[in-house]
Amino acid sequence: MESVEQVIERLIQWIEPLGETERVPVLESVGRVLAGPLNAPRDVPIAPLSLFDGYAAAGPLVSGNSLPVVGKQFAGDAPARLDPGTAMRIFTGALLPEGADTVIAQESVTVEDGRVRWDEDVSVGAGVRATGADTREGQTLLDRGTHINAAMLGLIASTGVASVPVSRRVRVALLTTGDELLAPGEPFAPGKIYDANGPMLEALLSAAGVEIVQRAVLPDDPIVTDARLREAAEADLIVTSGGVSVGEADLVRAGVEALGRIDHWRIFLKPGKPLAIGEVLGTPFLGLPGNPVSTFVTYLRFVRTAIDRLTGRTDPGAWPVQPLPLAAARRGGDRPEYIRVRRVEVDGRVQLEAYPDQNSGLLSSLAWADGLALVPPDARLAAGDTVEFTAFKELGL
């Protein structure tokens, strides 16, 4: 069997970035991947600013001295000129007057008869946000392959850049399988089940920022399956749930093999099999297991990696972990296992409580949990022992 890390490395080697780019407005860039390095077009700030409300003067300022106050400088005003031997009232974010290089906070002064007096020494440059303190003209703000978040958007916007080059969105075909599936809202009938994996995968893919260009439920009909797979091959990535094992009704497997190739990768992971990897008319294909929790886990570990790789992200499938203690003892099985857990506070300490039934068919366990904890194989863990925890919110869910 192959480890999760080995499978991810194989995916990265197999899948090539799309290499197609577009420009988007900065306000629409969160969640996109930079297609090239982004350099600052100017210094930020462009000139020295006051860090707080106070009084601007030429430093250094010696305790016990005072200066006459002449005028006010507000944020947004063009810089005034400060004559030697005077001070000026200034407000947070305002440009320093010409002739000033220091600001003393209003809480540290006494104002009387039009003069400001301070009772502490103030060094030159105190209270000032210097030119280029945040970014310098020509500085690389973000590298190619960076996944833009809200903080990065703020950094880009602060430089005045209006649009950025990003990789185009990945186009995904999502197929679920089985005559037994009903869409939510359809009348129930004996022998049928409501499709849960399809809607769940749609939500996961939407959170990843992809464009779902085909969404279909495949009946147990080889002709229809062939037609839908040919349509799906127009996408950048095909994702299916169910129908890829060796059963007589698993027609997706046969359909993929007829149009390309399919491999079953034996992953040293629970839950996580069967996972099918292949191509349909040259388009990468990932066939996920049918059990809902297995679908969820293999999506997070492997489909996210494929999507990130297609966009050219520098850290495809990034998997943030945090060491946290278990609230109760637990024994590991024959494979590494992602168990559904949620954080609880016990005696003022954050611990991980495991869902009591870890069956891979229980969607209730996913709805209850706020993350996954990795239990090593053959582990004998006592309450308080530390495991690797990954929070769903850290994955953008």
Side-chain angles (χ1 to χ4, degrees), residues 262-274:
I262 191 169
D263 299 322
H264 281 83
W265 290 5
R266 301 182 65 211
I267 304 171
F268 193 49
L269 177 68
K270 180 180 180 182
K273 64 177 187 180

Side-chain angles (χ1 to χ4, degrees), residues 312-346:
R313 184 169 171 174
T314 54
D315 56 347
W319 190 255
V321 296
Q322 176 185 7
L324 285 176
L326 290 170
R330 189 163 196 92
R331 298 182 65 177
D334 60 349
R335 288 169 286 163
E337 181 179 6
Y338 282 114
I339 62 172
R340 282 78 76 199
V341 296
R342 68 179 175 190
R343 286 162 291 187
V344 295
E345 188 173 333
V346 179

Side-chain angles (χ1 to χ4, degrees), residues 70-156:
V70 290
K72 297 179 179 180
Q73 181 80 18
F74 293 94
D77 287 352
R81 178 158 190 84
L82 185 67
D83 293 329
T86 64
M88 183 174 289
R89 183 78 164 107
I90 195 168
F91 298 91
T92 305
L95 292 170
L96 256 65
E98 295 179 15
D101 55 19
T102 304
V103 175
I104 185 168
Q106 62 185 13
E107 297 86 358
S108 302
V109 303
T110 302
V111 180
E112 186 176 358
D113 296 331
R115 296 183 68 88
V116 59
R117 181 175 60 84
W118 49 93
D119 295 320
E120 59 185 60
D121 292 339
V122 183
S123 60
V124 173
V128 175
R129 187 178 176 209
T131 300
D134 203 353
T135 55
R136 302 293 300 189
E137 181 179 352
Q139 174 188 344
T140 298
L141 300 176
L142 300 169
D143 292 319
R144 178 179 182 174
T146 299
H147 187 254
I148 301 172
N149 60 29
M152 295 173 187
L153 179 147
L155 175 64
I156 298 168

Side-chain angles (χ1 to χ4, degrees), residues 11 14 173-175 177 201 237-245 252-253 256 261-265 267 272-280 284-290 294-295 298-299 302-303:
L11 283 172
W14 169 49
L174 173 60
L175 310 175
T177 63
L201 286 169
L237 177 67
I238 303 170
V239 178
T240 67
S241 175
V244 292
S245 62
V252 174
R253 176 189 176 95
V256 172
R261 66 175 181 84
I262 191 169
D263 299 322
H264 281 83
W265 290 5
I267 304 171
K273 64 177 187 180
L275 177 69
I277 309 292
E279 295 178 356
V280 177
F285 164 88
L286 295 179
L288 307 185
S294 298
T295 297
T298 51
Y299 170 86
F302 307 122
V303 178

